[in-house]
């Protein structure tokens, strides 16, 4: 009988021990746990607010095809991979672009597919994004706390590191460095937590909201595995590094360079035991992440020249124009780098993680858009070095300075909590109606979501509408976003001009939107919320050609030939038939410019109408109910 009751008794004892351990852990670390929950709510809360509210006019949409400086880009799910995964159309083969000619798979496609898959469970891709990024925010703050605890040995210091890190990142990203703070308008915006409709950088998707916890796991596990060689740490370091490779190109490439330099240092020091462990981790992680690496290598050698230019891959060299921003950040780092010369070997790795992104930012041609090493990578990679360096500086400080320093750090940490919360509230208030759509347009998108499929191609002359199409519906778009396409510039502009001709826009209206002088649509914070959509329509060249806009002469030189091409298209019949087209969409954006004379020969049949929104199916002229399209009326 005793044998029969021993198992339940053992289970009860184990449960009691586990419960007691959890309660003891909570009692010891309650300040850190409280801050983790509070900062998670501050960072992730706006996504849930956008899911659950709508302004008085219109219906809230959880995707805004605008740019990061206007907050909306970070909410945008206009990557076709998220919607494809939500619709169940994504496979491992497709996720790494092993055969698709037209689409370029962005780094981090595994996460895009995961968010779409989670959306299938939660009911829509937007709640999938909110759930995934909420979990990654909590994981990032938890790992930051654990890392800071390991580096400082103090629970209060680890708790203070959370808001201090968030405050540091928020100020650096808002101001764009240190020197800009000398300008009154920049300093005033930072002090008032007015990011110009921009939420905290950790809110951005994909980077750094998703890669942040993965990187912190690497920063914690890789040095510990190299130092101890324990199998558990070796496995954790390998998996964390592999997941980092799957997550974001700029993070893992900077990490790879830092690890290689660390290996060179270990070889110089003849510490072959640690060197062997680091090499084992790197090789094993590369094998686990080989599909992602293969995809990036494939793009490097097969990406057409036009697409490479659009993605921002320039000629190999050094970009001295980035030197000022690099030097500002290096100046911040000097005291911490000096302190990191002391202490354990892991400090050398943290010093390299702080410096390497700055060096890579000065390169061109190695990766596309290398400025991301400063704008997206450095302020995350700097965190372990700043924490470890601060711990070393604290150990060197005279005893008489420690109490006032601790009070000052605590006060600054409290200010950091208030600052982050205020910044999020301030930015959220600015969403208002510009992140909604009229009820008629919303009903039209709901109809397309319910009735169209992936092989149904919808034509709209609006760049905003085209980005919404791939987020809100399973349908395909006639006009490609240049960043996601491997098509040639000639085909991209041909599709764009044919759509404009089909809707009857004048050449002046069309080419005003293609004027490269409009530059980046993200660069002007002075645009009123009510004018954002039109402003981004007027920056059509950016969405079609993306980073080519950094060389406006490449676009301006082709405008005369495109004008001639457009004049010939206006005289063609059935102008859309050169590419697959199935439906025409008319909404409020399609009426921003007057449609004088749509090209003849496009026959349609009304599929849906509510108020000013209409969807027309393209049909043969002999089909029952067919009428020649006369524009959005």
């Amino acid at each position: 009988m005793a044998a029969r009751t021993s198992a339940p008794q053992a289970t009860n004892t184990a449960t009691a021990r586990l419960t007691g351990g959890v309660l003891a852990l909570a009692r010891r670390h309650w300040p850190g746990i409280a801050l983790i929950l509070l900062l998670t709510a501050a960072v992730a809360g706006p996504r849930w607010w956008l899911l659950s509210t709508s302004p008085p006019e219109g219906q809230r949409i959880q995707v805004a095809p605008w740019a990061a400086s206007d907050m909306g880009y970070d909410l945008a799910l206009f990557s076709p991979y998220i919607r494809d995964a939500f619709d169940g159309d994504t496979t491992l083969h497709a996720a790494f672009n092993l055969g698709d000619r037209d689409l370029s798979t962005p780094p981090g496609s595994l996460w895009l597919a995961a968010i779409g898959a989670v959306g299938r469970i939660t009911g829509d891709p937007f709640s999938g994004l909110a759930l995934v990024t909420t979990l990654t925010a909590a994981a990032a703050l938890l790992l930051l706390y654990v890392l800071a605890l390991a580096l400082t040995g103090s629970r209060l210091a680890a708790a203070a590191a959370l808001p201090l890190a968030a405050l540091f990142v928020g100020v650096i990203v808002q101001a764009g460095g240190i020197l800009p703070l000398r300008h009154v308008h920049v300093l005033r915006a930072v002090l008032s937590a007015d990011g110009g409709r921009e939420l905290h950088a950790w809110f951005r998707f994909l980077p750094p909201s998703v890669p942040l916890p993965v990187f912190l796991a690497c920063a914690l596990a890789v040095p510990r595995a190299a130092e101890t060689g324990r199998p558990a740490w070796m496995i954790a370091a390998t998996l964390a590094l592999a997941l980092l490779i799957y997550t974001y190109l700029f993070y893992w490439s900077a990490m790879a360079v830092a690890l290689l330099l660390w290996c060179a240092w270990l070889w110089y020091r003849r510490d072959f035991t640690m060197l062997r462990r680091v090499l084992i981790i790197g090789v094993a992680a590369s094998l686990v992440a080989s599909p992602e690496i293969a995809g990036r290598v494939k793009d490097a050698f097969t990406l057409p020249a036009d697409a490479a230019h659009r993605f921002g891959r320039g000629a190999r060299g050094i970009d001295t124009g980035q030197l000022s921003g690099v030097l500002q950040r290096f100046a911040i780092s000097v005291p911490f780098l000096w302190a990191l010369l002391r202490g354990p070997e892991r400090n050398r790795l943290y010093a390299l993680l702080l410096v390497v992104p700055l060096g890579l930012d000065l390169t061109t041609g190695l990766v596309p858009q290398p400025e991301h090493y400063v704008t997206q990578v450095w302020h995350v990679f700097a965190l372990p070095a700043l924490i470890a360096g601060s711990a070393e500086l604290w150990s060197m400080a005279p005893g008489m300075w420690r109490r006032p320093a601790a009070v000052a750090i605590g006060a600054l940490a409290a200010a950091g909590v208030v600052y982050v919360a205020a910044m999020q509230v301030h930015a959220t208030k600015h969403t208002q109606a510009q992140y909604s759509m009229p009820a008629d347009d919303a009903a039209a998108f709901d109809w397309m979501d319910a009735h169209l499929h992936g092989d149904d191609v919808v034509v709209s002359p609006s760049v905003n509408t085209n980005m919404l199409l791939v987020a809100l519906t399973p349908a395909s778009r006639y006009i490609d976003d240049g960043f996601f396409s491997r098509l040639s510039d000639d085909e991209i502009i041909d599709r764009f001009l044919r759509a404009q001709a089909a809707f009857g826009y004048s050449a002046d209206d069309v080419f005003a939107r293609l004027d490269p002088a409009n530059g980046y649509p993200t660069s002007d914070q002075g645009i009123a919320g009510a004018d954002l959509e039109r402003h981004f329509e007027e920056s059509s060249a950016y969405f079609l050609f993306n980073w080519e806009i950094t060389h406006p002469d490449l676009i301006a030189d082709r405008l005369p030939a495109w004008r001639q091409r457009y004049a010939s298209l206006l005289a063609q019949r059935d102008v859309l038939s050169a590419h697959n087209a199935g439906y025409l969409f008319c909404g409020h954006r399609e009426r921003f410019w007057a449609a004088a004379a749509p090209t003849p020969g496009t026959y349609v049949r009304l599929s849906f109408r509510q108020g000013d929104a209409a969807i027309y199916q393209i049909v043969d002229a002999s089909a029952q109910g067919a009428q020649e399209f006369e524009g959005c009326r």
Side-chain angles (χ1 to χ4, degrees), residues 15 37 112 115 164 171 193 237 294 299 408 429 436 503 520 530 536 571 612:
T15 302
L37 296 176
L112 304 180
I115 285 168
L164 288 175
V171 170
D299 273 350
K429 286 183 177 179
S436 66
F503 280 73
Y520 288 97
F536 281 86
D612 290 333

Side-chain angles (χ1 to χ4, degrees), residues 45-69:
R47 287 201 194 278
W48 296 103
W49 179 80
L50 285 170
L51 282 169
S52 60
T53 66
S54 286
E57 64 284 2
Q59 177 175 318
R60 179 81 68 192
I61 52 172
Q62 292 77 41
V63 54
W66 304 312
S69 58

Side-chain angles (χ1 to χ4, degrees), residues 136-200:
T136 56
L141 291 165
L142 176 61
L143 287 167
L144 182 58
Y145 176 79
V146 174
L147 178 64
L149 183 63
L151 296 179
T152 65
S154 167
R155 286 169 286 162
L156 291 179
L162 302 177
L164 288 175
L167 178 63
F168 164 75
V169 171
V171 170
I172 289 293
V173 171
Q174 280 191 68
I178 296 299
L179 289 180
L181 291 171
R182 72 187 188 276
H183 300 296
V184 175
H185 70 282
V186 176
L187 182 60
R188 183 186 301 116
V190 169
L191 292 177
S192 61
D194 180 6
R197 296 191 292 261
E198 185 171 347
L199 289 159
H200 194 277

Side-chain angles (χ1 to χ4, degrees), residues 513-516 537-546 549 555:
R513 295 161 61 199
L514 290 174
D515 186 349
E537 292 292 345
E538 291 170 349
S539 303
S540 294
Y542 172 77
F543 294 100
L544 296 175
F545 305 112
N546 211 261
I549 204 74
I555 297 174

Side-chain angles (χ1 to χ4, degrees), residues 32 39 108 133 148 187 206 211 232 242 292 427 450 472 490 508 526 549 561-562 569:
L39 290 174
T133 50
L187 182 60
L206 238 140
E292 177 71 20
L472 300 175
D490 288 340
D508 288 343
I549 204 74
W562 291 345
L569 290 174

Side-chain angles (χ1 to χ4, degrees), residues 136-364:
T136 56
L141 291 165
L142 176 61
L143 287 167
L144 182 58
Y145 176 79
V146 174
L147 178 64
L149 183 63
L151 296 179
T152 65
S154 167
R155 286 169 286 162
L156 291 179
L162 302 177
L164 288 175
L167 178 63
F168 164 75
V169 171
V171 170
I172 289 293
V173 171
Q174 280 191 68
I178 296 299
L179 289 180
L181 291 171
R182 72 187 188 276
H183 300 296
V184 175
H185 70 282
V186 176
L187 182 60
R188 183 186 301 116
V190 169
L191 292 177
S192 61
D194 180 6
R197 296 191 292 261
E198 185 171 347
L199 289 159
H200 194 277
W202 288 352
F203 188 75
R204 291 186 176 177
F205 174 76
L206 238 140
S209 64
V210 170
L212 179 57
V214 185
F215 165 75
L216 292 172
C218 285
L220 185 64
V222 171
R224 188 67 62 90
E227 290 170 349
T228 67
R230 293 178 59 184
W233 281 113
M234 293 289 289
I235 293 171
T238 298
L239 294 179
L241 185 56
L243 187 56
L244 190 68
I245 296 173
Y246 278 112
T247 301
Y248 195 50
L249 169 66
F250 297 101
Y251 275 59
W252 71 257
S253 58
M255 173 66 81
V257 173
L259 288 176
L260 287 173
L261 292 175
W262 195 33
C263 285
W265 167 256
L266 293 173
W267 179 84
Y268 172 76
R269 291 285 302 272
R270 305 186 68 80
D271 191 340
F272 296 118
T273 299
M274 287 188 68
L275 174 61
R276 182 176 64 253
R277 292 167 182 166
V278 175
L279 290 175
I280 290 173
I281 292 168
V283 171
S286 298
L287 290 174
V288 174
S290 56
E292 177 71 20
I293 295 174
R296 304 281 68 80
V297 172
K298 175 179 178 290
D299 273 350
F301 288 98
T302 66
L303 202 63
D306 285 351
H309 290 154
R310 291 196 303 268
F311 296 172
R313 183 186 298 164
R316 288 187 176 88
I318 301 297
D319 184 5
T320 56
Q322 300 291 326
L323 190 59
S324 174
V326 166
L327 290 177
Q328 289 179 53
R329 288 162 176 80
F330 185 77
I332 299 172
S333 309
V334 168
F336 301 96
L337 289 171
W338 174 75
L340 287 171
L341 295 177
R342 298 160 49 91
E345 185 58 42
R346 68 189 180 198
N347 285 0
R348 296 359 171 227
L349 174 60
Y350 293 155
L352 289 169
L353 290 173
L354 185 147
V355 172
V356 163
L358 300 179
L360 291 176
D361 182 71
L362 297 174
T363 66
T364 60

Side-chain angles (χ1 to χ4, degrees), residues 398-539:
M400 61 180 294
W401 292 101
R402 292 190 178 183
R403 181 175 293 276
V407 173
I409 290 172
L412 190 59
V417 174
V418 175
Y419 185 90
V420 172
M423 181 180 179
Q424 299 296 84
V425 171
H426 192 281
T428 302
K429 286 183 177 179
H430 284 80
T431 60
Q432 297 178 1
Q434 62 262 38
Y435 300 98
S436 66
M437 65 167 62
D440 294 342
D441 282 21
F445 276 99
D446 287 344
W447 185 91
M448 288 187 285
D449 187 29
H451 293 86
L452 301 188
H453 303 89
D455 55 354
D456 292 318
V457 179
V458 180
V459 183
S460 166
S462 160
V463 294
N464 287 272
T465 296
N466 277 281
M467 285 185 282
L468 290 172
L469 279 169
V470 294
L472 300 175
T473 80
S476 301
R477 55 190 172 188
Y478 192 81
I479 299 176
D480 276 347
D481 184 308
F483 185 74
F484 293 105
S485 176
R486 297 169 66 93
L487 298 177
S488 68
D489 285 358
D490 288 340
E491 181 167 342
I492 285 178
I493 194 64
D494 185 62
R495 288 173 174 271
F496 179 79
L497 294 179
R498 287 179 181 275
Q500 313 308 308
F503 280 73
Y505 293 153
S506 71
D508 288 343
D509 286 339
V510 171
F511 287 92
R513 295 161 61 199
L514 290 174
D515 186 349
N518 291 333
Y520 288 97
T522 65
S523 59
D524 187 352
Q525 292 282 1
I527 301 299
D531 299 328
L532 275 175
E533 286 184 303
R534 185 181 291 270
H535 171 61
F536 281 86
E537 292 292 345
E538 291 170 349
S539 303

